[in-house]
Amino acid sequence: MPQASQLPLQTTEQNTHKELIPCLFHNSHGEAICDVYKNGTRYSYSLWSKEFEMWLKCYLYDRCSPESKKNIFKKSKINEILQELEILAESAPEAELYSDRVVRYEEKVYLNLGDGKGNAIAIDSTGWKIVRNPPVRFQISRDIEPLPMPVQGGKLAELEEITNLNQQQLVLVAGWLLGALNPNPPYPLLVITGEQGSGKSSLARMLKQLVDPSKGVLRSQPRDERNLMVAAINTWVLCFDNFSKLSQSLSDGLCRLSTGNSYVDRVLYSNNQQIVLEAARPVIITSIADIVSNGDLMDRSICLHCDRISEQQRKSEAEIQARFEQLRPKILGLLCSAVSQALANRQQVNLEIKPRMADFAEWVAAAESALGFESGTFITAYQANRQTSQRLTIQDSPVALAIQNLLLDRVSWQGTATELLNIIREFAAEHRYYGDDLPRAANKLSGQLRKINPGLRTLGIEVILNYKRLGKSGSRIIKIVRIAS
């Protein structure tokens, strides 16, 4: 049985595509990777993955003498070769192996088709085309499913045939889909609510399948932030169905995931070694109720409410799926053309009013004509959606209602946290508001005020937490003032 040094491996990429022989390299984390070729298609594997071990056994089996074939099935012999290859990979060039569906490389965006044939869509400022064995290495995933071959001629309006979206919602969905094909964050959270029979789960499934088809499309609610991050590093678009409740820690995790998150955990069976999970991902959540109450997360979200579909308008799942499969190639082609236009126009876009997710908004604004929209259509719909959603976060908040009542006959108020808390308690008692929404102490009030401040701004009210201090070490003064909404 040959040793690693006797295998026809390369440690550079020179002539790799012509000679189709294995090529070693390592990524930025020092992980050893190997390119292998099957029928002219390049596959990139982590050296210690089961996939590469199986390829290595097959590779050796075809080249070993009959008497040494039995050694291939000995774990110790395979590990010996893998250890030698790992040493060789350390001195090989550095390159990345991407688990992402979408990657930017040298002024182009590459979209992994996931068809098992090494094909990807290469998009630049002049257009898009299908390429085989692109310069970007995509990690092989058992969960990924192939995108259709894109074609020209798609129209977003065709989605109205099989979804429960109105015209303004269609504009927002188009922007979210285009944002999901941006290799750079931020990615707004898409929150779809509606009662049973409103088609929210079907809509979520279709949107994910348009840009990132995979097995197990609709997932259950993650238990915690760690589960959220593990899911994120294994798929591009996360789609969680029927959220029932959103904890503060999971809400914070979703906020970080929209812009880029690092989660540090201890390596299994290790006392002091750590593993870092890093990801920024587009996310879809469906729920019957309005579960997003955190102002920070709401500010990073696009919220759609689907009305119940009447029996006269309802279509069978088979009918919807058949039409959807017809539309997928055309919609994907339309989105690829929009990405191309976004790359061409992005530097010329400068929004007068920049929303919280400004880079996302400018990316979509750069491609409005390719999506079939007039200039300014998306940002108008996006701003209106954000304002409406932020107001939802405070409609049942006794703290927010007390502050609105406080400014009914004045333009401003200022005082200490204790004074404001007393006003809120009096208002709550008068209107019989009780429960966890009421802060129990003055030092807990600031957190509540930060939470509701974005919603209050949509009503023309601003809370300034640290307006001034009484004396060098005295009480901090809070100021509440009317502003232009």
Side-chain angles (χ1 to χ4, degrees), residues 343-362:
L343 291 172
N345 298 341
R346 176 64 180 82
Q347 298 303 318
Q348 285 73 50
V349 174
N350 187 20
L351 299 176
E352 292 184 8
I353 300 176
K354 295 184 185 295
R356 174 71 177 276
M357 310 285 274
D359 293 278
F360 158 74
E362 290 179 346

Side-chain angles (χ1 to χ4, degrees), residues 16 75 78 91-92 110 139 160 194 222 228 235 303 320 328 336 391 408 414 433 463:
T16 297
K75 189 69 174 177
I78 293 296
S91 59
Y110 289 90
Q139 184 171 315
E160 290 184 273
L228 176 67
T235 192
C303 299
I320 292 173
R328 281 180 71 198
C336 289
R391 287 171 185 167
L408 283 177
Q414 65 182 51
Y433 286 109
V463 177

Side-chain angles (χ1 to χ4, degrees), residues 47-329:
L47 212 62
W48 292 96
S49 66
K50 291 182 178 180
E51 291 82 4
F52 182 73
E53 181 179 334
M54 180 56 68
W55 176 88
L56 182 60
K57 288 178 179 178
C58 295
Y59 186 90
L60 295 172
Y61 190 86
D62 291 339
R63 289 160 178 78
C64 284
S65 60
E67 60 272 12
S68 61
K69 287 186 185 294
K70 60 182 179 181
N71 290 328
I72 294 172
F73 302 104
K74 292 182 178 179
K75 189 69 174 177
S76 59
K77 292 294 183 181
I78 293 296
N79 285 347
E80 184 180 331
I81 293 177
L82 290 174
Q83 287 167 2
E84 286 190 62
L85 293 177
E86 190 170 36
I87 293 172
L88 292 172
E90 278 294 315
S91 59
E94 182 179 308
E96 291 301 322
L97 180 59
Y98 295 96
S99 60
D100 303 342
R101 175 74 80 161
V102 185
V103 173
R104 183 158 190 170
Y105 181 79
E106 293 184 350
E107 305 305 319
K108 291 184 180 180
V109 171
Y110 289 90
L111 178 59
N112 182 14
L113 277 175
D115 59 358
K117 300 176 182 177
N119 290 318
I121 308 172
I123 312 173
D124 62 19
S125 58
T126 63
W128 55 267
K129 63 180 180 180
I130 307 299
V131 296
R132 192 181 187 191
N133 297 332
V136 172
R137 292 172 172 86
F138 289 105
Q139 184 171 315
I140 305 300
S141 171
R142 296 176 182 177
D143 295 331
I144 194 172
E145 291 191 344
L147 285 164
M149 284 291 180
V151 297
Q152 302 281 2
K155 295 181 180 179
L156 285 167
E158 293 177 302
L159 285 177
E160 290 184 273
E161 302 174 30
I162 53 174
T163 64
N164 191 20
L165 296 171
N166 59 39
Q167 188 60 45
Q168 187 176 43
Q169 290 174 333
L170 187 63
V171 171
L172 294 168
V173 163
W176 184 89
L177 286 169
L178 183 59
L181 294 184
N182 186 350
N184 301 316
Y187 303 108
L189 178 74
L190 184 64
V191 182
I192 306 173
T193 59
E195 63 178 286
Q196 294 176 353
S198 60
K200 59 184 182 298
S201 296
S202 297
L203 174 61
R205 183 185 295 109
M206 282 189 281
L207 295 181
K208 176 169 168 61
Q209 294 293 76
L210 281 173
V211 291
D212 184 39
S214 67
K215 298 175 183 177
V217 176
L218 300 179
R219 304 188 178 195
S220 59
Q221 180 174 334
R223 292 193 304 271
D224 49 35
E225 188 176 356
R226 186 184 190 283
N227 286 89
L228 176 67
M229 288 304 297
V230 169
I233 63 174
N234 286 287
T235 192
W236 180 245
V237 174
L238 295 170
C239 190
F240 299 113
D241 194 31
N242 285 325
F243 252 64
S244 57
K245 186 178 181 181
L246 191 57
S247 66
Q248 185 61 50
S249 62
L250 197 53
S251 179
D252 292 341
L254 288 167
C255 282
R256 290 190 287 268
L257 193 60
S258 73
T259 54
N261 188 16
S262 294
Y263 183 86
V264 181
D265 198 6
R266 183 175 65 86
V267 177
L268 194 63
Y269 307 122
S270 168
N271 290 325
N272 55 13
Q273 292 185 352
Q274 292 182 331
I275 184 171
V276 180
L277 307 179
E278 296 179 295
R281 293 288 187 265
V283 179
I284 305 172
I285 287 177
T286 75
S287 178
I288 293 176
D290 295 315
I291 58 168
V292 180
S293 59
N294 183 302
D296 189 21
L297 183 59
M298 185 63 80
D299 216 24
R300 303 168 190 246
S301 301
I302 292 174
C303 299
L304 307 179
H305 180 79
C306 297
D307 295 325
R308 182 175 174 81
I309 302 171
S310 67
E311 293 183 0
Q312 293 75 20
Q313 294 176 313
R314 192 174 299 280
K315 298 179 181 179
S316 69
E317 289 292 331
E319 183 182 0
I320 292 173
Q321 188 61 32
R323 181 56 176 151
F324 177 63
E325 291 301 326
Q326 292 176 346
L327 293 178
R328 281 180 71 198

Side-chain angles (χ1 to χ4, degrees), residues 386-407:
R386 290 177 67 251
Q387 288 187 357
T388 301
S389 300
Q390 284 292 358
R391 287 171 185 167
L392 288 175
T393 65
I394 62 170
Q395 65 178 1
D396 296 321
S397 167
V399 177
L401 293 172
I403 288 174
Q404 293 175 63
N405 184 71
L406 182 61
L407 262 62

Side-chain angles (χ1 to χ4, degrees), residues 375-386:
S375 178
T377 299
F378 175 76
I379 193 63
T380 300
Y382 183 49
Q383 291 284 56
N385 183 262
R386 290 177 67 251

